[in-house]
Amino acid sequence: MSPQAVRIAVGWKVLQTREAASAIMDYKAAFENAVRQVRDEGRYRVFADLKRRRGDFPHAVWRTPAGKLRDVVVWCSNDYLGQGQNDAVIAAMHAALDEAGAGSGGTRNISGTTSYHVELERELAELHGKGAALLFTSGYVSNQATLSTLQKVLPGLIMFSDALNHNSMIAGIRNGGGPRHIFRHNDLEHLESLLAAAPREAPKLVAFESVYSMDGDIADLAATVALAKRYGALTYLDEVHAVGLYGRRGGGISERDGVAEQIDIIEGTLGKAFGVMGGYIAGDAIMIDAIRSYADGFIFTTSLPPVLSAGALASIRWLKVHDEVRARHQERATALKRRLSEAGLPVMPSVSHIVPVLVGDPVHCKLISDVLLDDHGIYVQPINYPTVPKGTERLRFTPTPFHTDAMMDHLVAALEALWARCNIQRLGGRAA
């Protein structure tokens, strides 16, 4: 090839390379646009850099954007009973760390099953009056893995899901790929119409929660279970926001209402009322064994470290015999609702420990949250879409047994001032 031909060929390749490069997707711009959209909608989240102080819950130290350290009161923790600060829990975790070291060693199927896991699963099964329990790394994983796996074990399983079920339940049901129906929230008439229309011989499952964490309402467990049984359906109950908090020993709403033995699978978490981390299911031994044998989210995941399992075990055992903590928790939630209502603030109806205050606008919701933190040392995160529907943005307060009357008075006074400052209608509408 002549030198001129070589130059032409090389030039052509350079031109082709440039054209190809210009046609390649601008990945960075796509990510920037995605973040910009969240910002434009007023729901961009900035994490507060907090450090809890042992023995001083619900106080924490906040590192401001300027790098200064300030004392704040945490009002939105899901460590509902402060068990993450319980001396019995911490001592158990220290002991496990000294005895077994840091990690578990791998997946349960290969090298990661320890006596800590076995003992914790026995305790959880006993708590709910079931034949067995199975640990997962989080409540999200336990829901997602179990609900998708049930559709493997029961081909053709028809899922009936409450409209306000948690994202993890929705993901598990979708991932299973089987037929599914959504019934209106806590609407048993709608659920029955869907069950009645389904083939009688088909396997069915009703998936619902006990305490719905954003509104604070509670399902009618007894009626739901009775309806499911009438149509030959299994029941799957998410007790994530109820275990440890309700029932004489902390077994959840199902224990409180005396229906735990009638529910096929109870799912819960170790990361909220029990103050540690992890998720689990409890049910009939053969059903749990089948899920253990087929659930990808269990089989292919490194198991919980012994230190977490030991802490959760100690927390469950402690709460089983300290019902007075649950009584104090309910009293504090009732007291805060009363104070907010008396101040004319738009506290949403709630029959549980969840105390939501309606704002109704994402920008104002974040503004109030920011000012509470910056000016008043009150930490509460805004709850925006997609966690709640657009137009129902809110502040979600979770008073604990350790929130004092003085803390509540300070919170209510700050909210009253902010409602006027932001010019938000008392019913939670947009600014005028």
Side-chain angles (χ1 to χ4, degrees):
M1 183 181 294
S2 68
Q4 183 179 4
V6 170
R7 285 196 297 272
I8 291 173
V10 171
W12 176 246
K13 286 184 179 179
V14 170
L15 180 61
Q16 285 181 315
T17 301
R18 288 175 178 171
E19 290 178 347
S22 66
I24 292 175
M25 179 177 179
D26 188 341
Y27 294 106
K28 184 176 181 179
F31 290 116
E32 289 174 343
N33 288 336
V35 173
R36 188 180 302 112
Q37 180 179 341
V38 176
R39 287 185 181 276
D40 290 345
E41 293 175 4
R43 56 187 183 91
Y44 181 78
R45 192 170 293 278
V46 178
F47 294 144
D49 184 352
L50 297 175
K51 182 181 289 186
R52 300 205 299 179
R53 293 199 300 251
R54 180 179 172 182
D56 198 22
F57 185 75
H59 288 275
V61 176
W62 171 47
R63 184 180 296 277
T64 72
K68 295 182 179 180
L69 300 181
R70 287 186 54 192
D71 181 79
V72 299
V73 175
V74 178
W75 277 99
C76 57
S77 175
N78 282 343
D79 186 359
Y80 292 127
L81 302 178
Q83 285 293 96
Q85 302 289 311
N86 188 319
D87 288 340
V89 175
I90 294 171
M93 296 177 77
H94 275 300
L97 190 62
D98 291 338
E99 292 169 1
S104 65
T107 66
R108 294 280 296 276
N109 283 11
I110 297 176
S111 58
T113 292
T114 72
S115 58
Y116 297 94
H117 300 118
V118 175
E119 195 171 359
L120 177 55
E121 286 174 339
R122 287 174 181 162
E123 192 74 23
L124 288 165
E126 195 279 333
L127 175 66
H128 295 294
K130 300 299 182 184
L134 185 66
L135 288 172
F136 292 86
T137 51
S138 72
Y140 193 102
V141 175
S142 57
N143 269 334
Q144 186 181 50
T146 302
L147 287 168
S148 60
T149 300
L150 286 169
Q151 296 174 74
K152 296 180 186 177
V153 179
L154 299 169
L157 177 65
I158 304 173
M159 295 284 203
F160 299 85
S161 176
D162 187 285
L164 293 188
N165 276 343
H166 190 264
N167 177 274
S168 58
M169 300 174 75
I170 296 169
I173 291 170
R174 285 178 176 169
N175 290 349
R180 57 186 182 270
H181 299 282
I182 311 300
F183 61 93
R184 290 187 293 270
H185 177 53
N186 281 345
D187 188 335
L188 296 186
E189 289 186 6
H190 187 214
L191 173 59
E192 182 165 20
S193 69
L194 295 173
L195 287 167
R200 185 166 184 80
E201 68 281 2
K204 308 173 189 68
L205 181 142
V206 177
F208 63 114
E209 301 183 32
S210 54
V211 176
Y212 287 85
S213 62
M214 291 301 119
D215 292 336
D217 56 339
I218 298 177
D220 186 339
L221 269 58
T224 305
V225 171
L227 179 59
K229 288 184 178 297
R230 191 182 312 155
Y231 288 91
L234 296 171
T235 47
Y236 182 98
L237 177 65
D238 179 316
E239 287 259 50
V240 160
H241 291 274
V243 290
L245 304 173
Y246 297 86
R248 183 179 57 83
R249 302 187 311 152
I253 298 296
S254 55
E255 183 195 13
R256 186 198 73 175
D257 293 357
V259 297
E261 70 283 355
Q262 301 174 40
I263 296 169
D264 295 294
I265 299 178
I266 294 175
E267 184 269 347
T269 183
L270 306 172
K272 291 184 170 59
F274 295 129
V276 190
M277 179 182 176
Y280 66 91
I281 57 171
D284 180 80
I286 190 63
M287 185 182 295
I288 298 300
D289 198 22
I291 294 167
R292 178 185 70 88
S293 301
Y294 284 88
D296 291 345
F298 172 82
I299 295 170
F300 297 104
T301 301
T302 298
S303 61
L304 288 174
V307 63
L308 295 181
S309 300
L313 178 64
S315 183
I316 295 165
R317 287 177 172 171
W318 192 91
L319 284 174
K320 278 183 176 180
V321 296
H322 286 86
D323 193 41
E324 75 281 359
V325 177
R326 282 180 282 277
R328 170 69 174 173
H329 183 229
Q330 291 296 316
E331 184 276 327
R332 292 285 79 192
T334 300
L336 181 59
K337 291 176 203 175
R338 184 180 65 251
R339 280 173 160 80
L340 292 169
S341 180
E342 290 172 350
L345 292 160
V347 58
M348 300 169 68
S350 167
V351 294
S352 69
H353 58 283
I354 307 295
V355 185
V357 174
L358 182 65
V359 177
D361 181 275
V363 175
H364 289 146
C365 198
K366 186 177 186 310
L367 175 62
I368 293 172
S369 172
D370 289 346
V371 176
L372 283 173
L373 183 60
D374 292 339
D375 295 354
H376 302 278
I378 293 169
Y379 176 65
V380 58
Q381 277 284 0
I383 306 295
N384 295 330
Y385 176 84
T387 305
V388 296
K390 291 180 178 180
T392 68
E393 292 82 4
R394 67 200 65 178
L395 300 172
R396 174 184 176 272
F397 297 95
T398 54
T400 72
F402 305 97
H403 282 89
T404 65
D405 287 346
M407 291 176 185
M408 291 187 184
D409 291 340
H410 177 58
L411 171 64
V412 172
L415 285 173
E416 283 191 290
L418 281 173
W419 243 250
R421 173 175 171 178
C422 297
N423 195 26
I424 296 175
Q425 297 174 3
R426 286 277 171 126
L427 294 179
R430 293 178 180 271

